[in-house]
Amino acid sequence: MIERDGQLKSLWQQGVQPYTTLHTAIENQSYDVIVVGGGITGLSTALLLQEAGKKCLVLEAKNLCFGTTGGTTAHLNTLLDTPYTEIEKKFSKETSREMATAAAAALDLVKRNIEQYNISCGFAEASACLFAQNSKQQKELEEIAHASAAAGLQVELTTDAPPPFRAVKTLRAMGQAKFHPVNYVYGLAKAFESLGGVILQQCQVTDVQNKDGVICTTGKGNFIGRDLIYATHIPPGINLLHLRCAPYRTYAMAVKLEDGQSFNDLVYDMEDPYHYYRSQIIDGTEYLIAGGKDHKTGQEENPAYRFTSLEATVRSHFKFKDIACKWSSQYFESTDGLPYIGHLPGHAEHIYTATGFGGNGMTYSHLAARLLADILLENENPLIKVLSPARIKPVAGFTNFITHNADAVRNFAGKLFSGEKLQELAGIAPGEGKIVQYDGEKIGLVRDKDGQLHAVKPVCTHLQCEVKWNGAEQSWECPCHGARYNCEGKVITGPAVQPLEKIDLGSKSIKPQTAT
Ligand code: FES
């Protein structure tokens, strides 16, 4: 089974083995484009560029689909999470039309990839149904329907609810789809390699030097590129995008329906946060995939409650016995509701990124692939300016932001703690974690599943925010920009690159040491 950035197993990990690459990279080799990140954005972009004659290298720190691609619920939709009403209001009617056109082109690109490279990934077309349950929601729904139609979507308003839900009004958008995201990305990877592209897994980029192009330092040697694309969900290091993207957690579960119930559409209610539903047939079995109960990362003390609450919501609509699997994953919301795709602010001009996809990662990954390919190939695209990360104006007080919290966290160096006392203080069961106050200092303690206690300084190494323990996914999570660490403090996902400071509990005197 492939690994993912969480302890819980998603539906897409079941029975899927790690991808085996065809090629090995040669150290100091030069490439036209280096793509950092082996998820759906990285592979779809690399494939388009390789097709266009660029020589591309994909560097993935873990295994393909380790990040959010392995934990998505994979809705392919042009009915975007940021409604067209809002895009019209915050941007313009023209931008609304351009976004709808680009989202439709993104879905066409998925279809083209599947057909051209014969990718077996359970792709099926479906409608998206957004339904209102009261008059307030109905009014909003009618406005969304109007703006969606004006943007170019094929939509209809009906009084029929998508079964088994009840609704006063439903917006049905045609031309949406669903698929198995990991099988799809494996298909992209195969196609990319067949065209001469190179993928390196377990190959973390530890440094990027700008010279005439870039020199990427990795555990497998240095690689040289003319252009570099961070397809890492959020770019690593410190930049303005961390101020303009907020991390959120969402919860999902897959169940086998009883009584011959079947479910084809992509369905969304209008609660806040909303719930989403769709199905997928895997090896002849149909699973209902439901999700929701979102919250800002690090702001839920008890993630298990979110799963219980989601299960109760799903059971109020569907009959099923067991939950086949449940998992959570992370996404980033941009400040203005549209993704940031293009040149990475504050970096050399040949460094690009794509982030802030909200709940539309499957669609925006391909929109980003097209847009980044157009930028690098010097093609025109009306969204280059609209989605440019440079649309962010410099933020007053940015320097203060970088140092915020830093003063609040005193250095642990030289402090001595009694291991026995700490263990008494902790009183935590296997799998649990908490922050304890000891001798005026905060210490992050976790007892792993084998009973071993781990202690870290609970301060994110990105910009010094305090991390929180997520017992469901067994990770320390940073509420500021979404960095995640395992129980030992090692980085699971960026933007942090350095591990949490580890505190040795092996002796009576506990001195700080660096995790490796
Ligand atoms: Fe930025 Fe933690 S991810 S402070």
Side-chain angles (χ1 to χ4, degrees):
M1 188 184 290
I2 57 163
E3 280 191 50
R4 191 179 72 84
D5 63 359
Q7 190 78 6
L8 298 168
K9 302 295 171 212
S10 79
L11 183 62
W12 318 119
Q13 291 171 278
Q14 316 292 324
V16 176
Q17 298 307 314
Y19 183 82
T20 309
T21 51
L22 273 183
H23 304 95
T24 48
I26 302 162
E27 199 176 341
N28 291 322
Q29 186 98 358
S30 292
Y31 293 86
D32 294 322
V33 186
I34 296 178
V35 177
V36 184
I40 193 165
T41 303
L43 265 303
S44 54
T45 306
L47 177 58
L48 265 189
L49 289 166
Q50 190 75 28
E51 283 175 349
K54 297 273 184 189
K55 186 179 167 193
C56 300
L57 168 69
V58 174
L59 298 174
E60 164 54 51
K62 308 279 185 184
N63 49 259
L64 294 193
C65 303
F66 177 84
T68 295
T69 304
T72 175
T73 54
H75 290 231
L76 283 160
N77 41 19
T78 59
L79 191 65
L80 303 173
D81 275 14
T82 300
Y84 290 99
T85 41
E86 220 175 293
I87 300 175
E88 273 185 9
K89 223 179 282 165
K90 287 185 179 161
F91 294 84
S92 66
K93 286 194 173 173
E94 193 187 356
T95 298
S96 185
R97 279 193 297 275
E98 287 166 350
M99 285 303 295
T101 303
L107 264 60
D108 285 344
L109 178 57
V110 172
K111 276 191 248 177
R112 187 222 65 160
N113 285 339
I114 290 170
E115 283 163 17
Q116 186 166 326
Y117 297 109
N118 202 16
I119 299 173
S120 173
C121 58
F123 177 88
E125 299 209 31
S127 297
C129 297
L130 178 67
F131 67 91
Q133 293 170 293
N134 56 47
S135 54
K136 186 169 170 260
Q137 290 180 356
Q138 181 178 341
K139 185 172 179 293
E140 192 188 344
L141 186 78
E142 287 167 353
E143 287 169 3
I144 292 172
H146 183 72
S148 301
L153 269 72
Q154 194 191 342
V155 295
E156 63 181 31
L157 275 174
T158 71
T159 48
D160 299 330
F165 302 99
R166 291 196 184 153
V168 293
K169 206 132 221 192
T170 301
L171 183 169
R172 182 176 284 271
M174 271 50 89
Q176 320 291 304
K178 54 191 179 177
F179 64 177
H180 188 306
V182 175
N183 288 345
Y184 174 72
V185 170
Y186 279 21
L188 295 184
K190 244 191 198 170
F192 173 65
E193 289 190 309
S194 72
L195 296 174
V198 176
I199 300 171
L200 283 186
Q201 300 180 100
Q202 309 299 336
C203 187
Q204 184 165 17
V205 175
T206 52
D207 188 39
V208 173
Q209 293 286 331
N210 294 306
K211 291 231 163 123
D212 288 335
V214 293
I215 301 173
C216 289
T217 305
T218 78
K220 293 188 174 173
N222 292 348
F223 301 99
I224 300 155
R226 198 161 60 91
D227 295 304
L228 180 136
I229 296 170
Y230 283 117
T232 48
H233 210 199
I234 186 102
I238 296 169
N239 61 70
L240 284 172
L241 291 183
H242 299 131
L243 297 179
R244 286 294 176 261
C245 290
Y248 283 80
R249 303 290 305 172
T250 190
Y251 296 79
M253 57 181 56
V255 302
K256 288 184 211 170
L257 297 176
E258 284 183 7
D259 301 339
Q261 296 171 91
S262 191
F263 193 77
N264 188 49
D265 295 326
L266 315 177
V267 175
Y268 313 90
D269 66 25
M270 295 182 72
E271 291 177 30
D272 186 17
Y274 73 91
H275 302 94
Y276 46 93
Y277 306 86
R278 62 97 148 188
S279 66
Q280 183 75 39
I281 297 172
I282 300 177
D283 296 333
T285 300
E286 180 173 358
Y287 294 91
L288 170 79
I289 305 165
K293 311 297 177 192
D294 305 13
H295 61 81
K296 196 154 179 291
T297 298
Q299 292 188 354
E300 172 57 83
E301 294 296 328
N302 185 7
Y305 164 74
R306 299 275 171 165
F307 283 117
T308 309
S309 171
L310 177 61
E311 181 180 349
T313 302
V314 181
R315 284 198 189 279
S316 71
H317 301 296
F318 296 93
K319 277 191 185 162
F320 60 92
K321 278 197 189 117
D322 303 320
I323 296 170
C325 45
K326 59 183 180 183
W327 69 99
S328 66
S329 73
Q330 187 153 292
Y331 61 94
F332 288 89
E333 285 288 358
S334 69
T335 314
D336 58 22
L338 292 187
Y340 299 115
I341 302 166
H343 171 243
L344 179 59
H347 286 66
E349 60 180 18
H350 46 266
I351 297 186
Y352 304 89
T353 195
T355 188
F357 290 177
N360 296 114
M362 298 297 99
T363 304
Y364 283 153
S365 58
H366 284 66
L367 192 155
R370 274 263 184 252
L371 193 51
L372 290 166
D374 283 341
I375 293 170
L376 268 64
L377 298 170
E378 298 182 13
N379 296 330
E380 285 185 10
N381 186 319
L383 289 178
I384 289 175
K385 206 166 163 203
V386 175
L387 299 184
S388 166
R391 73 180 184 266
I392 300 163
K393 295 186 180 74
V395 179
F398 181 55
T399 313
N400 291 343
F401 178 87
I402 291 174
T403 53
H404 94 272
N405 275 353
D407 292 342
V409 183
R410 281 179 283 153
N411 198 332
F412 276 55
K415 294 274 177 192
L416 298 178
F417 300 99
S418 152
E420 284 159 27
K421 276 192 179 177
L422 268 178
Q423 296 199 31
E424 264 173 43
L425 265 175
I428 49 178
E432 283 185 359
K434 62 166 74 164
I435 293 176
V436 297
Q437 195 86 26
Y438 184 77
D439 197 20
E441 302 290 356
K442 285 182 174 176
I443 302 175
L445 286 172
V446 177
R447 193 178 298 283
D448 67 23
K449 297 253 155 87
D450 298 325
Q452 195 183 339
L453 198 62
H454 302 274
V456 294
K457 180 170 157 184
V459 178
C460 181
T461 58
H462 180 233
L463 285 176
Q464 313 293 300
C465 290
E466 184 172 293
V467 294
K468 307 274 183 234
W469 178 247
N470 178 335
E473 296 289 8
Q474 296 287 292
S475 56
W476 289 108
E477 296 175 347
C478 179
C480 289
H481 317 110
R484 298 175 60 238
Y485 307 83
N486 72 7
C487 63
E488 297 172 59
K490 291 177 183 170
V491 176
I492 300 174
T493 55
V497 286
Q498 295 300 321
L500 297 176
E501 187 179 302
K502 201 171 172 183
I503 298 167
D504 183 10
L505 291 177
S507 63
K508 283 188 182 164
S509 294
I510 301 158
K511 296 173 187 165
Q513 65 174 35
T514 305
T516 51

